[in-house]
Coordinates of all heavy atoms in Angstrom, one line a residue:
M1 N 0.9 -1.1 0.0 CA 0.0 0.0 0.0 C 0.9 1.3 0.0 O 2.1 1.4 0.5 CB -0.9 -0.1 1.3 CG -1.8 1.3 1.4 SD -2.6 1.3 2.9 CE -3.9 0.1 2.8
R2 N 0.3 2.3 -0.6 CA 1.1 3.6 -0.8 C 0.0 4.6 -0.6 O -1.1 4.6 -1.1 CB 1.7 3.5 -2.2 CG 2.7 4.6 -2.4 CD 3.3 4.5 -3.7 NE 4.2 3.2 -3.8 CZ 5.4 3.1 -3.5 NH1 6.0 4.1 -3.0 NH2 6.0 2.0 -3.5
V3 N 0.5 5.8 0.1 CA -0.4 6.9 0.1 C 0.2 8.0 -0.8 O 1.5 8.1 -0.9 CB -0.6 7.5 1.7 CG1 -1.4 6.5 2.4 CG2 0.9 7.7 2.3
E4 N -0.7 8.7 -1.4 CA -0.5 9.9 -2.1 C -1.2 11.0 -1.7 O -2.4 10.8 -1.3 CB -0.8 9.6 -3.7 CG 0.2 8.6 -4.2 CD -0.1 8.2 -5.7 OE1 -1.0 8.9 -6.3 OE2 0.5 7.3 -6.2
L5 N -0.6 12.2 -2.0 CA -1.2 13.4 -1.4 C -1.2 14.6 -2.5 O -0.2 14.8 -3.1 CB -0.5 13.9 -0.3 CG -1.1 15.0 0.8 CD1 -0.6 14.8 2.1 CD2 -1.1 16.4 0.3
N6 N -2.4 15.0 -2.8 CA -2.5 16.1 -3.8 C -2.2 17.5 -3.2 O -3.2 18.0 -2.5 CB -3.9 16.0 -4.4 CG -4.0 17.0 -5.6 OD1 -3.3 18.1 -5.7 ND2 -4.9 16.8 -6.5
P7 N -1.1 18.2 -3.3 CA -0.8 19.5 -2.7 C -1.8 20.5 -3.2 O -2.0 21.4 -2.4 CB 0.6 19.7 -3.1 CG 0.8 18.9 -4.2 CD 0.0 17.7 -4.2
D8 N -2.4 20.3 -4.3 CA -3.4 21.3 -4.8 C -4.7 21.3 -3.9 O -5.4 22.3 -3.9 CB -3.6 21.2 -6.3 CG -2.5 21.4 -7.1 OD1 -1.6 22.2 -6.7 OD2 -2.4 20.8 -8.1
L9 N -5.0 20.2 -3.4 CA -6.3 20.1 -2.6 C -6.0 20.4 -1.1 O -6.9 20.8 -0.5 CB -6.9 18.7 -2.8 CG -7.4 18.3 -4.3 CD1 -7.8 16.9 -4.3 CD2 -8.3 19.4 -4.8
C10 N -4.8 20.1 -0.7 CA -4.5 20.2 0.8 C -4.8 21.6 1.4 O -4.3 22.6 0.7 CB -3.1 19.7 1.1 SG -2.6 19.9 2.8
Q11 N -5.5 21.7 2.4 CA -5.7 23.1 2.9 C -5.0 23.2 4.4 O -5.2 24.3 5.1 CB -7.2 23.3 3.3 CG -8.0 23.3 1.9 CD -7.6 24.6 1.1 OE1 -7.5 25.7 1.6 NE2 -7.4 24.4 -0.3
G12 N -4.2 22.3 4.6 CA -3.3 22.4 5.9 C -4.0 22.2 7.1 O -3.5 22.8 8.1
H13 N -5.0 21.4 7.3 CA -5.6 21.2 8.6 C -4.8 20.3 9.4 O -5.0 20.3 10.6 CB -7.1 20.4 8.4 CG -7.9 21.0 7.3 ND1 -8.6 22.0 7.5 CD2 -8.1 20.6 6.1 CE1 -9.4 22.3 6.5 NE2 -9.0 21.4 5.5
N14 N -3.9 19.6 8.9 CA -2.9 18.6 9.5 C -3.6 17.5 10.3 O -3.1 17.2 11.2 CB -2.0 19.6 10.5 CG -1.2 20.4 9.7 OD1 -0.9 20.3 8.4 ND2 -0.8 21.5 10.3
R15 N -4.8 17.2 10.0 CA -5.4 16.0 10.6 C -4.6 14.8 10.3 O -4.5 13.8 11.1 CB -6.9 15.8 10.1 CG -7.8 16.9 10.6 CD -9.2 16.5 10.2 NE -10.1 17.7 10.5 CZ -11.5 17.5 10.3 NH1 -12.0 16.5 9.9 NH2 -12.1 18.7 10.5
C16 N -4.2 14.8 9.1 CA -3.5 13.5 8.6 C -2.1 13.3 9.6 O -1.9 12.3 10.0 CB -3.0 13.7 7.2 SG -2.2 15.2 6.8
Y17 N -1.5 14.5 9.7 CA -0.3 14.4 10.6 C -0.6 14.1 12.0 O 0.1 13.3 12.7 CB 0.4 15.8 10.4 CG 1.6 15.9 11.4 CD1 2.8 15.1 11.2 CD2 1.6 16.7 12.5 CE1 3.8 15.2 12.0 CE2 2.6 16.9 13.3 CZ 3.8 16.1 13.0 OH 4.9 16.1 14.0
A18 N -1.8 14.6 12.5 CA -2.1 14.3 13.9 C -2.5 12.7 14.1 O -2.2 12.1 15.0 CB -3.3 15.1 14.3
L19 N -3.1 12.2 12.9 CA -3.6 10.8 13.1 C -2.5 9.8 12.7 O -2.5 8.8 13.2 CB -4.7 10.7 12.2 CG -5.9 11.4 12.5 CD1 -7.0 11.3 11.4 CD2 -6.6 10.7 13.7
A20 N -1.6 10.2 11.8 CA -0.6 9.4 11.4 C 0.7 10.0 11.1 O 1.2 10.1 9.9 CB -1.0 8.6 10.1
P21 N 1.4 10.4 12.1 CA 2.7 11.1 12.0 C 3.8 10.2 11.5 O 4.8 10.8 10.9 CB 3.0 11.6 13.4 CG 2.3 10.7 14.3 CD 1.0 10.2 13.5
E22 N 3.5 9.0 11.5 CA 4.5 8.1 10.8 C 4.5 8.1 9.3 O 5.4 7.7 8.6 CB 4.2 6.6 11.2 CG 4.2 6.3 12.6 CD 2.8 6.5 13.3 OE1 1.9 7.2 12.7 OE2 2.6 6.0 14.4
L23 N 3.3 8.5 8.7 CA 3.1 8.6 7.2 C 3.1 10.0 6.7 O 3.4 10.3 5.4 CB 1.8 8.0 6.8 CG 1.7 6.5 7.3 CD1 0.2 6.0 7.1 CD2 2.7 5.7 6.6
F24 N 2.9 11.1 7.5 CA 2.8 12.5 7.0 C 3.5 13.5 7.8 O 3.8 13.2 9.0 CB 1.3 12.9 7.0 CG 0.4 12.1 6.2 CD1 -0.3 11.0 6.8 CD2 0.3 12.2 4.9 CE1 -1.2 10.1 6.1 CE2 -0.6 11.4 4.2 CZ -1.3 10.4 4.8
D25 N 4.1 14.4 7.1 CA 4.9 15.6 7.8 C 4.1 16.8 7.3 O 3.2 16.9 6.5 CB 6.3 15.4 7.5 CG 7.1 16.2 8.5 OD1 6.5 16.9 9.4 OD2 8.3 15.9 8.4
V26 N 4.5 17.9 7.8 CA 4.0 19.2 7.5 C 5.2 20.1 6.9 O 6.3 20.2 7.6 CB 3.3 19.9 8.6 CG1 2.7 21.2 8.3 CG2 2.3 19.0 9.2
D27 N 5.0 20.7 5.8 CA 6.2 21.6 5.3 C 6.2 23.0 5.9 O 5.3 23.2 6.8 CB 6.2 21.6 3.8 CG 5.0 22.4 3.2 OD1 4.3 23.1 4.0 OD2 4.8 22.2 1.9
D28 N 7.1 23.8 5.4 CA 7.2 25.1 6.0 C 6.0 26.0 5.8 O 5.8 27.1 6.5 CB 8.3 25.9 5.6 CG 9.6 25.1 6.0 OD1 9.6 24.4 7.0 OD2 10.7 25.4 5.3
Y29 N 5.1 25.6 4.9 CA 4.0 26.5 4.6 C 2.7 25.9 5.2 O 1.6 26.4 5.0 CB 3.7 26.5 3.1 CG 4.8 27.0 2.3 CD1 5.8 26.1 1.8 CD2 5.1 28.5 2.4 CE1 6.9 26.7 1.2 CE2 6.2 28.9 1.7 CZ 7.2 28.2 1.1 OH 8.3 28.6 0.5
G30 N 2.8 24.8 6.0 CA 1.7 24.2 6.7 C 0.9 23.2 5.9 O -0.1 22.6 6.3
T31 N 1.5 22.9 4.6 CA 0.8 21.9 3.8 C 1.4 20.5 4.2 O 2.6 20.3 4.5 CB 1.3 22.2 2.3 OG1 0.8 23.5 2.1 CG2 0.5 21.2 1.4
A32 N 0.5 19.5 4.1 CA 1.1 18.1 4.4 C 1.7 17.5 3.2 O 1.6 17.9 2.1 CB -0.1 17.3 4.8
V33 N 2.7 16.7 3.5 CA 3.6 15.9 2.7 C 3.7 14.5 3.2 O 3.7 14.3 4.4 CB 4.9 16.6 2.4 CG1 4.9 17.9 1.8 CG2 5.7 16.6 3.8
V34 N 3.7 13.7 2.3 CA 3.9 12.2 2.6 C 5.4 12.0 2.9 O 6.3 12.7 2.4 CB 3.6 11.3 1.6 CG1 2.1 11.3 1.3 CG2 4.2 11.5 0.3
I35 N 5.7 11.2 3.9 CA 7.0 10.9 4.3 C 7.6 9.9 3.3 O 7.0 9.0 3.0 CB 7.1 10.3 5.7 CG1 6.7 11.5 6.6 CG2 8.5 9.9 6.1 CD1 6.6 11.0 8.1
G36 N 8.9 10.2 2.7 CA 9.5 9.3 1.9 C 8.6 9.1 0.6 O 8.2 10.1 0.1
E37 N 8.6 7.8 0.2 CA 7.9 7.5 -1.1 C 6.3 7.3 -0.9 O 5.7 6.9 -1.8 CB 8.5 6.3 -1.7 CG 10.0 6.4 -2.0 CD 10.3 7.2 -3.3 OE1 9.7 7.1 -4.2 OE2 11.2 8.2 -3.0
G38 N 6.0 7.3 0.4 CA 4.5 7.1 0.7 C 4.3 5.7 1.0 O 3.0 5.3 1.1
S39 N 5.2 4.8 1.0 CA 4.9 3.4 1.3 C 4.5 3.2 2.8 O 4.9 3.8 3.6 CB 6.4 2.6 1.2 OG 6.7 2.6 -0.2
V40 N 3.5 2.4 2.8 CA 2.9 2.0 4.1 C 3.3 0.7 4.6 O 2.8 -0.3 3.8 CB 1.3 2.4 4.0 CG1 0.6 2.1 5.3 CG2 1.0 3.6 3.5
A41 N 3.8 0.6 5.8 CA 4.0 -0.6 6.3 C 2.8 -1.4 6.7 O 1.9 -0.6 7.0 CB 5.0 -0.5 7.5
A42 N 2.7 -2.6 6.7 CA 1.5 -3.3 7.0 C 0.8 -2.9 8.2 O -0.4 -2.9 8.3 CB 1.9 -4.9 7.0
D43 N 1.7 -2.7 9.3 CA 0.9 -2.3 10.6 C 0.6 -0.9 10.6 O -0.1 -0.4 11.7 CB 2.1 -2.6 11.8 CG 3.3 -1.7 11.6 OD1 3.6 -1.2 10.6 OD2 4.0 -1.5 12.7
L44 N 0.7 -0.2 9.6 CA 0.2 1.2 9.5 C -0.9 1.5 8.6 O -1.3 2.6 8.3 CB 1.5 2.3 9.1 CG 2.5 2.4 10.2 CD1 3.7 3.3 9.7 CD2 1.9 3.0 11.5
E45 N -1.4 0.3 8.0 CA -2.4 0.5 7.0 C -3.7 1.0 7.5 O -4.5 1.7 6.9 CB -2.7 -0.9 6.4 CG -1.5 -1.4 5.3 CD -1.8 -2.6 4.6 OE1 -2.8 -3.2 4.8 OE2 -0.8 -3.0 3.8
G46 N -4.0 0.7 8.7 CA -5.2 1.2 9.4 C -5.1 2.7 9.6 O -6.1 3.4 9.4
K47 N -4.0 3.2 9.9 CA -3.6 4.7 10.1 C -3.9 5.4 8.8 O -4.3 6.5 8.7 CB -2.4 4.9 10.7 CG -2.3 4.7 12.2 CD -1.0 5.3 12.9 CE -1.1 5.3 14.4 NZ 0.0 6.1 15.0
A48 N -3.4 4.7 7.7 CA -3.5 5.3 6.4 C -4.8 5.6 6.0 O -5.3 6.5 5.5 CB -2.7 4.4 5.3
R49 N -5.7 4.5 6.2 CA -7.2 4.7 5.9 C -7.8 5.6 6.9 O -8.7 6.4 6.3 CB -7.8 3.2 6.1 CG -7.3 2.2 5.1 CD -8.2 0.8 5.1 NE -7.8 -0.1 4.1 CZ -6.9 -1.0 4.4 NH1 -6.5 -1.1 5.7 NH2 -6.5 -1.9 3.5
L50 N -7.4 5.7 8.0 CA -7.9 6.7 9.0 C -7.7 8.2 8.4 O -8.5 9.0 8.5 CB -7.3 6.5 10.3 CG -8.1 7.2 11.5 CD1 -9.4 6.6 11.8 CD2 -7.2 6.9 12.8
A51 N -6.5 8.3 8.0 CA -6.1 9.6 7.4 C -6.9 10.0 6.2 O -7.4 11.1 6.0 CB -4.6 9.7 7.1
V52 N -7.1 9.1 5.3 CA -8.0 9.1 4.1 C -9.4 9.6 4.5 O -10.0 10.6 4.0 CB -8.1 8.0 3.2 CG1 -9.0 8.2 2.1 CG2 -6.7 7.7 2.6
D53 N -9.9 8.8 5.4 CA -11.3 9.2 5.9 C -11.4 10.4 6.6 O -12.7 11.0 6.6 CB -11.7 8.0 6.9 CG -11.9 6.6 6.1 OD1 -11.9 6.7 4.8 OD2 -12.1 5.7 6.7
N54 N -10.5 11.0 7.2 CA -10.5 12.2 7.9 C -9.9 13.5 7.3 O -10.0 14.6 7.9 CB -9.8 12.0 9.4 CG -10.6 11.3 10.3 OD1 -11.5 11.8 10.9 ND2 -10.3 9.9 10.3
C55 N -9.6 13.3 6.1 CA -9.2 14.5 5.3 C -10.4 15.1 4.7 O -11.0 14.6 3.7 CB -8.2 14.1 4.2 SG -7.7 15.5 3.2
P56 N -10.6 16.4 5.1 CA -11.9 17.0 4.6 C -11.8 17.5 3.2 O -12.9 17.8 2.6 CB -12.1 18.3 5.6 CG -10.6 18.5 6.2 CD -10.1 17.2 6.1
E57 N -10.7 17.5 2.7 CA -10.4 18.0 1.3 C -10.3 16.9 0.3 O -10.0 17.0 -0.8 CB -9.2 18.9 1.1 CG -9.1 20.1 2.1 CD -10.3 21.0 2.2 OE1 -10.9 21.1 1.0 OE2 -10.8 21.5 3.2
Y58 N -10.3 15.6 0.8 CA -10.2 14.4 0.0 C -8.9 14.5 -0.8 O -8.9 14.1 -1.9 CB -11.3 14.3 -1.0 CG -12.7 14.2 -0.3 CD1 -13.4 15.4 -0.3 CD2 -13.1 13.1 0.3 CE1 -14.7 15.3 0.3 CE2 -14.3 13.0 1.0 CZ -15.1 14.2 0.9 OH -16.3 14.1 1.6
A59 N -7.8 14.9 -0.1 CA -6.5 15.2 -0.7 C -5.6 13.9 -0.8 O -4.6 13.8 -1.4 CB -5.8 16.3 -0.1
I60 N -6.0 12.9 0.1 CA -5.2 11.7 0.3 C -5.8 10.5 -0.4 O -7.2 10.2 -0.4 CB -5.0 11.4 1.7 CG1 -4.5 12.6 2.5 CG2 -3.9 10.2 2.0 CD1 -4.5 12.5 4.0
T61 N -5.0 9.7 -1.2 CA -5.5 8.6 -1.8 C -4.6 7.4 -1.4 O -3.4 7.7 -1.3 CB -5.7 8.8 -3.4 OG1 -4.4 9.3 -3.8 CG2 -6.8 9.8 -3.7
I62 N -5.1 6.3 -1.5 CA -4.4 5.0 -1.3 C -4.3 4.4 -2.6 O -5.2 4.1 -3.2 CB -5.0 4.1 -0.2 CG1 -4.9 4.8 1.2 CG2 -4.4 2.7 -0.3 CD1 -5.6 4.0 2.2
T63 N -3.0 4.0 -3.0 CA -2.9 3.0 -4.1 C -2.3 1.8 -3.6 O -1.6 1.7 -2.5 CB -2.0 3.6 -5.2 OG1 -0.7 3.9 -4.5 CG2 -2.7 4.8 -5.7
Q64 N -2.5 0.6 -4.3 CA -2.0 -0.6 -4.0 C -0.8 -1.0 -4.9 O -0.8 -0.7 -6.0 CB -3.0 -1.8 -4.2 CG -4.2 -1.7 -3.2 CD -3.9 -1.7 -1.8 OE1 -3.0 -2.4 -1.4 NE2 -4.9 -1.2 -1.0
D65 N 0.3 -1.4 -4.1 CA 1.5 -1.7 -4.9 C 1.1 -2.8 -5.8 O 0.5 -3.7 -5.3 CB 2.6 -2.1 -3.9 CG 3.1 -0.8 -3.2 OD1 3.1 0.2 -3.8 OD2 3.5 -1.0 -2.0
T66 N 1.6 -2.8 -6.9 CA 1.5 -4.1 -7.9 C 2.6 -5.0 -7.9 O 3.7 -4.7 -7.5 CB 1.2 -3.5 -9.3 OG1 2.2 -2.7 -9.7 CG2 -0.2 -2.8 -9.4
Ligands
SF4_1 S1 -5.9 16.3 6.4 FE1 -6.0 16.5 4.2 S2 -6.2 18.9 4.0 FE2 -5.6 18.5 6.0 S3 -3.3 18.5 5.9 FE3 -3.8 16.5 5.7 S4 -3.9 16.2 3.4 FE4 -4.1 18.3 3.8

């Protein structure tokens, strides 16, 4: 699993960072960024889904590694 974040949609609520700091960080402008390549370890998949469900801007998407 991989998380992707659309910076054009992100409004900087930082809910994703609050819910899953292992997967998201915040840049100097308050916009969220994915950490590294966005790869999600198996034990963090629940947090990744939580972040998607709690982003009010629908800026986060999950893709499955093929
Ligand atoms: S919750 Fe969504 S809108 Fe808010 S900082 Fe995270 S990605 Fe951006």
Side-chain angles (χ1 to χ4, degrees):
M1 177 189 285
R2 191 173 296 274
V3 284
E4 294 180 2
L5 195 155
N6 184 336
D8 294 331
L9 296 177
C10 177
Q11 295 294 317
H13 312 279
N14 295 332
R15 291 191 192 180
C16 52
Y17 174 68
L19 291 167
E22 302 89 342
L23 301 174
F24 301 95
D25 204 349
V26 181
D27 69 13
D28 292 342
Y29 302 99
T31 303
V33 293
V34 295
I35 293 176
E37 303 285 311
S39 291
V40 180
D43 62 338
L44 292 175
E45 290 185 356
K47 282 194 171 187
R49 292 192 181 92
L50 199 63
V52 171
D53 291 344
N54 282 276
C55 176
E57 309 300 334
Y58 305 103
I60 305 168
T61 53
I62 286 175
T63 56
Q64 297 295 335
D65 290 325
T66 53

